Amino acid sequence: MKKRSRLSALLVLLTVCLVFVGCGSKKESGTIDAIKARGKVIAGVKYDTKLFGLKDPASGKVEGFDIDIAKALAKKIFGDETKVELKEVTSKTRIPLLQNGDIDLIIATMTITEERKEQVDFSDVYFKAGQSLLVKKGSEIQGLQDLKKGVKVLTVKGSTSAKNIREKAPDANVLEFENYQDAFTALKAGQGEVLTTDNAILLGMQQQDPNYVLVGGNFTDEPYGIAVKKGDVDFVAQVNDLLKEMKSSGEYDKLYEQWMGVKPE
Ligand code: GLU
């Protein structure tokens, strides 16, 4: 009898241990430790998006609002904004690269959506965009109502823009490219009449070529978040702290105005 109760006590203890181990392994953690051990942050950023992350082929420099947030994170962790390695992501590759461990986080014009929340965790909103249309000056296309059958609309693989436009203009012919510079080159080459994505990205294209204009207003909400591996609550908290610090110190407003040319709302 004594033996049996000792055995059951042992079993209870074993079960408790297993439950703890099980719970522990479910929580993804340690990005911040990995960053500290490595001595730098690896940020997945765009190389194709003026104002947010654009690589200048002549200098090799990558610049934009998202890039400056990545540098600010390096400064927060290491006291040195150069302790960041930038890795190119596209809308299609960013989630797989994060999940593979190739990058620590995504700072790349990424809209927070319920669907994406199943795969990654997001920070608080750090930028508010909305989907719009870019056309050549003088185009007959002035809004969603003009995206009729036969109209070719250009956009990018893996973006919310591609998904949304199929819902909003189901008759249009949607063509998807690997990145935004390819899509814009195609628009300029006449491979389509319209390019659609977030207004802020389209504004960057308009700056690159003022023969193109935004039309049709904003027809979606695209709140941008910084994405980290699902379950890494410690790292999300660090990133949210950074955003709060940047807002209260005025650094966020300064960067916003520097890149967007206007003050944040
Ligand atoms: N914000 C939209 C998205 O997350 C469009 C911009 C992009 O493709 O990164 O899909």
mmCIF file of all heavy atoms in Angstrom, residues 193-237:
data_model
loop_
_atom_site.group_PDB
_atom_site.id
_atom_site.type_symbol
_atom_site.label_atom_id
_atom_site.label_comp_id
_atom_site.label_asym_id
_atom_site.label_seq_id
_atom_site.Cartn_x
_atom_site.Cartn_y
_atom_site.Cartn_z
ATOM 1 N N GLU A 193 -2.717 49.711 -66.905
ATOM 2 C CA GLU A 193 -3.177 51.107 -66.815
ATOM 3 C C GLU A 193 -3.094 51.662 -65.402
ATOM 4 O O GLU A 193 -3.080 52.884 -65.210
ATOM 5 C CB GLU A 193 -4.645 51.220 -67.268
ATOM 6 C CG GLU A 193 -4.888 50.932 -68.746
ATOM 7 C CD GLU A 193 -4.962 49.454 -69.067
ATOM 8 O OE1 GLU A 193 -5.445 48.686 -68.208
ATOM 9 O OE2 GLU A 193 -4.529 49.056 -70.157
ATOM 10 N N VAL A 194 -3.074 50.770 -64.411
ATOM 11 C CA VAL A 194 -3.147 51.195 -63.006
ATOM 12 C C VAL A 194 -2.173 50.377 -62.160
ATOM 13 O O VAL A 194 -1.989 49.192 -62.416
ATOM 14 C CB VAL A 194 -4.558 50.907 -62.413
ATOM 15 C CG1 VAL A 194 -4.757 51.615 -61.093
ATOM 16 C CG2 VAL A 194 -5.654 51.223 -63.381
ATOM 17 N N LEU A 195 -1.600 51.016 -61.151
ATOM 18 C CA LEU A 195 -0.835 50.267 -60.142
ATOM 19 C C LEU A 195 -1.558 50.500 -58.822
ATOM 20 O O LEU A 195 -1.904 51.652 -58.506
ATOM 21 C CB LEU A 195 0.598 50.791 -60.090
ATOM 22 C CG LEU A 195 1.644 49.942 -59.366
ATOM 23 C CD1 LEU A 195 3.039 50.356 -59.811
ATOM 24 C CD2 LEU A 195 1.542 49.969 -57.876
ATOM 25 N N THR A 196 -1.770 49.456 -58.064
ATOM 26 C CA THR A 196 -2.447 49.645 -56.774
ATOM 27 C C THR A 196 -1.643 49.081 -55.616
ATOM 28 O O THR A 196 -1.107 47.983 -55.681
ATOM 29 C CB THR A 196 -3.875 49.053 -56.775
ATOM 30 O OG1 THR A 196 -4.525 49.461 -55.556
ATOM 31 C CG2 THR A 196 -3.891 47.528 -56.860
ATOM 32 N N THR A 197 -1.533 49.915 -54.585
ATOM 33 C CA THR A 197 -1.015 49.498 -53.276
ATOM 34 C C THR A 197 -1.291 50.640 -52.299
ATOM 35 O O THR A 197 -2.130 51.507 -52.594
ATOM 36 C CB THR A 197 0.471 49.086 -53.309
ATOM 37 O OG1 THR A 197 0.815 48.565 -52.012
ATOM 38 C CG2 THR A 197 1.406 50.234 -53.629
ATOM 39 N N ASP A 198 -0.550 50.674 -51.175
ATOM 40 C CA ASP A 198 -0.799 51.703 -50.163
ATOM 41 C C ASP A 198 -0.469 53.103 -50.692
ATOM 42 O O ASP A 198 0.542 53.278 -51.399
ATOM 43 C CB ASP A 198 0.046 51.421 -48.926
ATOM 44 C CG ASP A 198 -0.269 50.065 -48.332
ATOM 45 O OD1 ASP A 198 -1.375 49.552 -48.602
ATOM 46 O OD2 ASP A 198 0.584 49.510 -47.632
ATOM 47 N N ASN A 199 -1.257 54.083 -50.288
ATOM 48 C CA ASN A 199 -1.056 55.474 -50.718
ATOM 49 C C ASN A 199 0.378 55.968 -50.470
ATOM 50 O O ASN A 199 0.967 56.635 -51.321
ATOM 51 C CB ASN A 199 -2.083 56.401 -50.046
ATOM 52 C CG ASN A 199 -2.095 56.303 -48.526
ATOM 53 O OD1 ASN A 199 -1.510 55.404 -47.933
ATOM 54 N ND2 ASN A 199 -2.773 57.235 -47.892
ATOM 55 N N ALA A 200 0.942 55.616 -49.312
ATOM 56 C CA ALA A 200 2.280 56.121 -48.967
ATOM 57 C C ALA A 200 3.338 55.555 -49.926
ATOM 58 O O ALA A 200 4.312 56.239 -50.264
ATOM 59 C CB ALA A 200 2.615 55.761 -47.529
ATOM 60 N N ILE A 201 3.151 54.321 -50.361
ATOM 61 C CA ILE A 201 4.094 53.707 -51.311
ATOM 62 C C ILE A 201 3.917 54.359 -52.688
ATOM 63 O O ILE A 201 4.887 54.667 -53.388
ATOM 64 C CB ILE A 201 3.877 52.175 -51.376
ATOM 65 C CG1 ILE A 201 4.125 51.545 -50.004
ATOM 66 C CG2 ILE A 201 4.741 51.549 -52.454
ATOM 67 C CD1 ILE A 201 3.872 50.053 -49.922
ATOM 68 N N LEU A 202 2.668 54.603 -53.064
ATOM 69 C CA LEU A 202 2.385 55.253 -54.349
ATOM 70 C C LEU A 202 2.949 56.674 -54.375
ATOM 71 O O LEU A 202 3.434 57.134 -55.411
ATOM 72 C CB LEU A 202 0.877 55.261 -54.620
ATOM 73 C CG LEU A 202 0.225 53.876 -54.750
ATOM 74 C CD1 LEU A 202 -1.282 54.012 -54.940
ATOM 75 C CD2 LEU A 202 0.828 53.084 -55.914
ATOM 76 N N LEU A 203 2.904 57.358 -53.229
ATOM 77 C CA LEU A 203 3.476 58.715 -53.151
ATOM 78 C C LEU A 203 4.970 58.697 -53.452
ATOM 79 O O LEU A 203 5.490 59.587 -54.119
ATOM 80 C CB LEU A 203 3.244 59.311 -51.754
ATOM 81 C CG LEU A 203 1.894 59.973 -51.543
ATOM 82 C CD1 LEU A 203 1.725 60.348 -50.076
ATOM 83 C CD2 LEU A 203 1.743 61.227 -52.417
ATOM 84 N N GLY A 204 5.630 57.670 -52.979
ATOM 85 C CA GLY A 204 7.063 57.502 -53.265
ATOM 86 C C GLY A 204 7.305 57.330 -54.756
ATOM 87 O O GLY A 204 8.257 57.872 -55.320
ATOM 88 N N MET A 205 6.419 56.584 -55.419
ATOM 89 C CA MET A 205 6.557 56.383 -56.875
ATOM 90 C C MET A 205 6.309 57.693 -57.608
ATOM 91 O O MET A 205 6.998 58.020 -58.568
ATOM 92 C CB MET A 205 5.559 55.329 -57.342
ATOM 93 C CG MET A 205 5.893 53.946 -56.844
ATOM 94 S SD MET A 205 4.631 52.772 -57.321
ATOM 95 C CE MET A 205 5.252 51.294 -56.534
ATOM 96 N N GLN A 206 5.311 58.428 -57.140
ATOM 97 C CA GLN A 206 5.003 59.723 -57.758
ATOM 98 C C GLN A 206 6.212 60.664 -57.658
ATOM 99 O O GLN A 206 6.484 61.432 -58.573
ATOM 100 C CB GLN A 206 3.788 60.330 -57.064
ATOM 101 C CG GLN A 206 3.249 61.523 -57.803
ATOM 102 C CD GLN A 206 2.103 62.186 -57.046
ATOM 103 O OE1 GLN A 206 1.818 61.858 -55.904
ATOM 104 N NE2 GLN A 206 1.459 63.111 -57.692
ATOM 105 N N GLN A 207 6.929 60.554 -56.532
ATOM 106 C CA GLN A 207 8.140 61.382 -56.391
ATOM 107 C C GLN A 207 9.215 60.948 -57.373
ATOM 108 O O GLN A 207 9.998 61.749 -57.852
ATOM 109 C CB GLN A 207 8.685 61.274 -54.965
ATOM 110 C CG GLN A 207 7.878 62.077 -53.972
ATOM 111 C CD GLN A 207 8.469 61.981 -52.564
ATOM 112 O OE1 GLN A 207 9.599 61.558 -52.351
ATOM 113 N NE2 GLN A 207 7.674 62.372 -51.585
ATOM 114 N N GLN A 208 9.241 59.643 -57.677
ATOM 115 C CA GLN A 208 10.230 59.146 -58.639
ATOM 116 C C GLN A 208 9.879 59.582 -60.061
ATOM 117 O O GLN A 208 10.751 59.762 -60.883
ATOM 118 C CB GLN A 208 10.321 57.609 -58.561
ATOM 119 C CG GLN A 208 10.988 57.120 -57.288
ATOM 120 C CD GLN A 208 11.017 55.600 -57.209
ATOM 121 O OE1 GLN A 208 10.014 54.927 -57.415
ATOM 122 N NE2 GLN A 208 12.174 55.044 -56.896
ATOM 123 N N ASP A 209 8.589 59.711 -60.348
ATOM 124 C CA ASP A 209 8.143 60.138 -61.679
ATOM 125 C C ASP A 209 6.826 60.904 -61.565
ATOM 126 O O ASP A 209 5.751 60.303 -61.465
ATOM 127 C CB ASP A 209 7.972 58.921 -62.592
ATOM 128 C CG ASP A 209 7.710 59.347 -64.025
ATOM 129 O OD1 ASP A 209 7.260 60.501 -64.235
ATOM 130 O OD2 ASP A 209 7.958 58.548 -64.928
ATOM 131 N N PRO A 210 6.916 62.226 -61.603
ATOM 132 C CA PRO A 210 5.709 63.056 -61.401
ATOM 133 C C PRO A 210 4.688 62.996 -62.537
ATOM 134 O O PRO A 210 3.652 63.656 -62.443
ATOM 135 C CB PRO A 210 6.271 64.477 -61.243
ATOM 136 C CG PRO A 210 7.724 64.409 -61.480
ATOM 137 C CD PRO A 210 8.134 63.020 -61.735
ATOM 138 N N ASN A 211 4.955 62.179 -63.580
ATOM 139 C CA ASN A 211 3.917 61.975 -64.606
ATOM 140 C C ASN A 211 2.819 61.053 -64.110
ATOM 141 O O ASN A 211 1.858 60.784 -64.839
ATOM 142 C CB ASN A 211 4.524 61.344 -65.864
ATOM 143 C CG ASN A 211 5.376 62.340 -66.606
ATOM 144 O OD1 ASN A 211 4.959 63.489 -66.785
ATOM 145 N ND2 ASN A 211 6.573 61.927 -66.990
ATOM 146 N N TYR A 212 2.988 60.524 -62.919
ATOM 147 C CA TYR A 212 1.993 59.598 -62.355
ATOM 148 C C TYR A 212 1.320 60.232 -61.144
ATOM 149 O O TYR A 212 1.967 60.944 -60.380
ATOM 150 C CB TYR A 212 2.662 58.263 -62.006
ATOM 151 C CG TYR A 212 3.057 57.551 -63.280
ATOM 152 C CD1 TYR A 212 4.263 57.855 -63.907
ATOM 153 C CD2 TYR A 212 2.197 56.656 -63.906
ATOM 154 C CE1 TYR A 212 4.602 57.272 -65.129
ATOM 155 C CE2 TYR A 212 2.526 56.068 -65.112
ATOM 156 C CZ TYR A 212 3.726 56.381 -65.716
ATOM 157 O OH TYR A 212 4.031 55.811 -66.926
ATOM 158 N N VAL A 213 0.016 59.988 -61.010
ATOM 159 C CA VAL A 213 -0.746 60.618 -59.919
ATOM 160 C C VAL A 213 -1.628 59.598 -59.197
ATOM 161 O O VAL A 213 -2.036 58.580 -59.775
ATOM 162 C CB VAL A 213 -1.654 61.763 -60.458
ATOM 163 C CG1 VAL A 213 -0.826 62.980 -60.817
ATOM 164 C CG2 VAL A 213 -2.519 61.308 -61.609
ATOM 165 N N LEU A 214 -1.926 59.920 -57.944
ATOM 166 C CA LEU A 214 -2.842 59.073 -57.167
ATOM 167 C C LEU A 214 -4.275 59.476 -57.472
ATOM 168 O O LEU A 214 -4.581 60.675 -57.512
ATOM 169 C CB LEU A 214 -2.592 59.253 -55.667
ATOM 170 C CG LEU A 214 -1.503 58.387 -55.051
ATOM 171 C CD1 LEU A 214 -0.119 58.967 -55.340
ATOM 172 C CD2 LEU A 214 -1.696 58.261 -53.558
ATOM 173 N N VAL A 215 -5.139 58.478 -57.654
ATOM 174 C CA VAL A 215 -6.567 58.767 -57.856
ATOM 175 C C VAL A 215 -7.415 57.804 -57.011
ATOM 176 O O VAL A 215 -6.929 56.772 -56.556
ATOM 177 C CB VAL A 215 -6.985 58.622 -59.353
ATOM 178 C CG1 VAL A 215 -6.304 59.679 -60.220
ATOM 179 C CG2 VAL A 215 -6.722 57.211 -59.878
ATOM 180 N N GLY A 216 -8.674 58.170 -56.841
ATOM 181 C CA GLY A 216 -9.637 57.249 -56.227
ATOM 182 C C GLY A 216 -9.653 57.232 -54.704
ATOM 183 O O GLY A 216 -10.401 56.437 -54.107
ATOM 184 N N GLY A 217 -8.852 58.077 -54.066
ATOM 185 C CA GLY A 217 -8.844 58.115 -52.590
ATOM 186 C C GLY A 217 -8.341 56.814 -51.978
ATOM 187 O O GLY A 217 -7.819 55.947 -52.676
ATOM 188 N N ASN A 218 -8.513 56.694 -50.673
ATOM 189 C CA ASN A 218 -8.122 55.452 -49.976
ATOM 190 C C ASN A 218 -9.349 54.578 -49.812
ATOM 191 O O ASN A 218 -10.366 55.042 -49.315
ATOM 192 C CB ASN A 218 -7.573 55.768 -48.586
ATOM 193 C CG ASN A 218 -6.301 56.582 -48.647
ATOM 194 O OD1 ASN A 218 -5.673 56.699 -49.697
ATOM 195 N ND2 ASN A 218 -5.927 57.162 -47.523
ATOM 196 N N PHE A 219 -9.236 53.328 -50.228
ATOM 197 C CA PHE A 219 -10.411 52.456 -50.100
ATOM 198 C C PHE A 219 -10.216 51.274 -49.152
ATOM 199 O O PHE A 219 -11.060 50.381 -49.088
ATOM 200 C CB PHE A 219 -10.935 52.004 -51.479
ATOM 201 C CG PHE A 219 -9.873 51.454 -52.407
ATOM 202 C CD1 PHE A 219 -9.491 50.135 -52.329
ATOM 203 C CD2 PHE A 219 -9.271 52.279 -53.339
ATOM 204 C CE1 PHE A 219 -8.519 49.629 -53.162
ATOM 205 C CE2 PHE A 219 -8.291 51.783 -54.192
ATOM 206 C CZ PHE A 219 -7.910 50.461 -54.102
ATOM 207 N N THR A 220 -9.081 51.278 -48.406
ATOM 208 C CA THR A 220 -8.909 50.291 -47.313
ATOM 209 C C THR A 220 -8.126 50.971 -46.184
ATOM 210 O O THR A 220 -7.563 52.037 -46.380
ATOM 211 C CB THR A 220 -8.066 49.054 -47.745
ATOM 212 O OG1 THR A 220 -6.715 49.483 -47.963
ATOM 213 C CG2 THR A 220 -8.615 48.362 -48.975
ATOM 214 N N ASP A 221 -8.090 50.316 -45.022
ATOM 215 C CA ASP A 221 -7.210 50.745 -43.926
ATOM 216 C C ASP A 221 -6.035 49.778 -43.870
ATOM 217 O O ASP A 221 -6.251 48.555 -43.854
ATOM 218 C CB ASP A 221 -7.946 50.692 -42.576
ATOM 219 C CG ASP A 221 -8.938 51.830 -42.463
ATOM 220 O OD1 ASP A 221 -8.652 52.924 -42.999
ATOM 221 O OD2 ASP A 221 -10.007 51.616 -41.864
ATOM 222 N N GLU A 222 -4.834 50.320 -43.845
ATOM 223 C CA GLU A 222 -3.625 49.478 -43.801
ATOM 224 C C GLU A 222 -2.748 49.928 -42.633
ATOM 225 O O GLU A 222 -1.795 50.687 -42.803
ATOM 226 C CB GLU A 222 -2.849 49.601 -45.124
ATOM 227 C CG GLU A 222 -3.640 49.321 -46.390
ATOM 228 C CD GLU A 222 -4.041 47.874 -46.581
ATOM 229 O OE1 GLU A 222 -3.315 46.979 -46.097
ATOM 230 O OE2 GLU A 222 -5.089 47.634 -47.199
ATOM 231 N N PRO A 223 -3.066 49.488 -41.434
ATOM 232 C CA PRO A 223 -2.220 49.852 -40.282
ATOM 233 C C PRO A 223 -0.942 48.993 -40.276
ATOM 234 O O PRO A 223 -1.020 47.769 -40.272
ATOM 235 C CB PRO A 223 -3.116 49.524 -39.083
ATOM 236 C CG PRO A 223 -4.091 48.501 -39.585
ATOM 237 C CD PRO A 223 -4.208 48.632 -41.071
ATOM 238 N N TYR A 224 0.219 49.651 -40.300
ATOM 239 C CA TYR A 224 1.480 48.892 -40.336
ATOM 240 C C TYR A 224 1.918 48.487 -38.930
ATOM 241 O O TYR A 224 1.856 49.280 -37.986
ATOM 242 C CB TYR A 224 2.618 49.735 -40.926
ATOM 243 C CG TYR A 224 2.498 50.079 -42.393
ATOM 244 C CD1 TYR A 224 3.458 50.885 -42.992
ATOM 245 C CD2 TYR A 224 1.460 49.598 -43.190
ATOM 246 C CE1 TYR A 224 3.383 51.218 -44.339
ATOM 247 C CE2 TYR A 224 1.379 49.924 -44.532
ATOM 248 C CZ TYR A 224 2.338 50.739 -45.098
ATOM 249 O OH TYR A 224 2.272 51.077 -46.428
ATOM 250 N N GLY A 225 2.417 47.254 -38.840
ATOM 251 C CA GLY A 225 3.005 46.769 -37.592
ATOM 252 C C GLY A 225 4.363 46.137 -37.868
ATOM 253 O O GLY A 225 4.659 45.752 -39.005
ATOM 254 N N ILE A 226 5.166 46.041 -36.811
ATOM 255 C CA ILE A 226 6.448 45.337 -36.907
ATOM 256 C C ILE A 226 6.175 43.897 -36.496
ATOM 257 O O ILE A 226 5.568 43.661 -35.451
ATOM 258 C CB ILE A 226 7.490 46.010 -35.990
ATOM 259 C CG1 ILE A 226 7.777 47.427 -36.516
ATOM 260 C CG2 ILE A 226 8.756 45.162 -35.886
ATOM 261 C CD1 ILE A 226 8.594 48.295 -35.589
ATOM 262 N N ALA A 227 6.588 42.942 -37.333
ATOM 263 C CA ALA A 227 6.262 41.539 -37.041
ATOM 264 C C ALA A 227 7.447 40.810 -36.434
ATOM 265 O O ALA A 227 8.597 41.010 -36.840
ATOM 266 C CB ALA A 227 5.830 40.840 -38.321
ATOM 267 N N VAL A 228 7.145 39.981 -35.437
ATOM 268 C CA VAL A 228 8.161 39.118 -34.813
ATOM 269 C C VAL A 228 7.617 37.689 -34.796
ATOM 270 O O VAL A 228 6.441 37.469 -35.077
ATOM 271 C CB VAL A 228 8.509 39.567 -33.368
ATOM 272 C CG1 VAL A 228 8.856 41.045 -33.323
ATOM 273 C CG2 VAL A 228 7.364 39.269 -32.404
ATOM 274 N N LYS A 229 8.498 36.746 -34.445
ATOM 275 C CA LYS A 229 8.070 35.349 -34.386
ATOM 276 C C LYS A 229 6.889 35.173 -33.448
ATOM 277 O O LYS A 229 6.876 35.765 -32.359
ATOM 278 C CB LYS A 229 9.226 34.475 -33.905
ATOM 279 C CG LYS A 229 9.950 33.821 -35.026
ATOM 280 C CD LYS A 229 10.778 32.661 -34.528
ATOM 281 C CE LYS A 229 11.508 32.039 -35.702
ATOM 282 N NZ LYS A 229 12.681 31.302 -35.291
ATOM 283 N N LYS A 230 5.957 34.356 -33.857
ATOM 284 C CA LYS A 230 4.753 34.151 -33.066
ATOM 285 C C LYS A 230 5.094 33.647 -31.670
ATOM 286 O O LYS A 230 5.874 32.716 -31.502
ATOM 287 C CB LYS A 230 3.825 33.171 -33.775
ATOM 288 C CG LYS A 230 2.454 33.187 -33.200
ATOM 289 C CD LYS A 230 1.395 32.685 -34.150
ATOM 290 C CE LYS A 230 0.067 32.674 -33.453
ATOM 291 N NZ LYS A 230 -0.329 33.985 -32.914
ATOM 292 N N GLY A 231 4.533 34.302 -30.672
ATOM 293 C CA GLY A 231 4.736 33.863 -29.283
ATOM 294 C C GLY A 231 5.880 34.556 -28.566
ATOM 295 O O GLY A 231 6.044 34.379 -27.361
ATOM 296 N N ASP A 232 6.688 35.345 -29.283
ATOM 297 C CA ASP A 232 7.822 35.989 -28.612
ATOM 298 C C ASP A 232 7.369 37.290 -27.937
ATOM 299 O O ASP A 232 7.664 38.397 -28.377
ATOM 300 C CB ASP A 232 8.965 36.246 -29.596
ATOM 301 C CG ASP A 232 10.285 36.468 -28.858
ATOM 302 O OD1 ASP A 232 10.231 36.798 -27.656
ATOM 303 O OD2 ASP A 232 11.338 36.304 -29.471
ATOM 304 N N VAL A 233 6.659 37.114 -26.815
ATOM 305 C CA VAL A 233 6.052 38.248 -26.116
ATOM 306 C C VAL A 233 7.087 39.250 -25.594
ATOM 307 O O VAL A 233 6.848 40.452 -25.582
ATOM 308 C CB VAL A 233 5.148 37.777 -24.950
ATOM 309 C CG1 VAL A 233 3.805 37.321 -25.444
ATOM 310 C CG2 VAL A 233 5.804 36.682 -24.146
ATOM 311 N N ASP A 234 8.252 38.738 -25.183
ATOM 312 C CA ASP A 234 9.287 39.636 -24.638
ATOM 313 C C ASP A 234 9.778 40.596 -25.715
ATOM 314 O O ASP A 234 9.975 41.792 -25.454
ATOM 315 C CB ASP A 234 10.490 38.837 -24.114
ATOM 316 C CG ASP A 234 10.095 37.957 -22.953
ATOM 317 O OD1 ASP A 234 9.024 38.212 -22.366
ATOM 318 O OD2 ASP A 234 10.844 37.004 -22.652
ATOM 319 N N PHE A 235 9.954 40.049 -26.905
ATOM 320 C CA PHE A 235 10.488 40.877 -27.989
ATOM 321 C C PHE A 235 9.442 41.896 -28.456
ATOM 322 O O PHE A 235 9.775 43.056 -28.690
ATOM 323 C CB PHE A 235 10.965 39.971 -29.139
ATOM 324 C CG PHE A 235 11.833 40.670 -30.144
ATOM 325 C CD1 PHE A 235 12.665 41.722 -29.770
ATOM 326 C CD2 PHE A 235 11.833 40.280 -31.479
ATOM 327 C CE1 PHE A 235 13.476 42.366 -30.708
ATOM 328 C CE2 PHE A 235 12.628 40.919 -32.418
ATOM 329 C CZ PHE A 235 13.455 41.965 -32.032
ATOM 330 N N VAL A 236 8.179 41.466 -28.541
ATOM 331 C CA VAL A 236 7.105 42.411 -28.908
ATOM 332 C C VAL A 236 7.072 43.562 -27.903
ATOM 333 O O VAL A 236 6.962 44.730 -28.279
ATOM 334 C CB VAL A 236 5.714 41.718 -28.948
ATOM 335 C CG1 VAL A 236 4.615 42.748 -29.174
ATOM 336 C CG2 VAL A 236 5.659 40.691 -30.051
ATOM 337 N N ALA A 237 7.227 43.225 -26.611
ATOM 338 C CA ALA A 237 7.198 44.261 -25.569
ATOM 339 C C ALA A 237 8.340 45.254 -25.759
ATOM 340 O O ALA A 237 8.159 46.459 -25.633
ATOM 341 C CB ALA A 237 7.271 43.605 -24.193
#
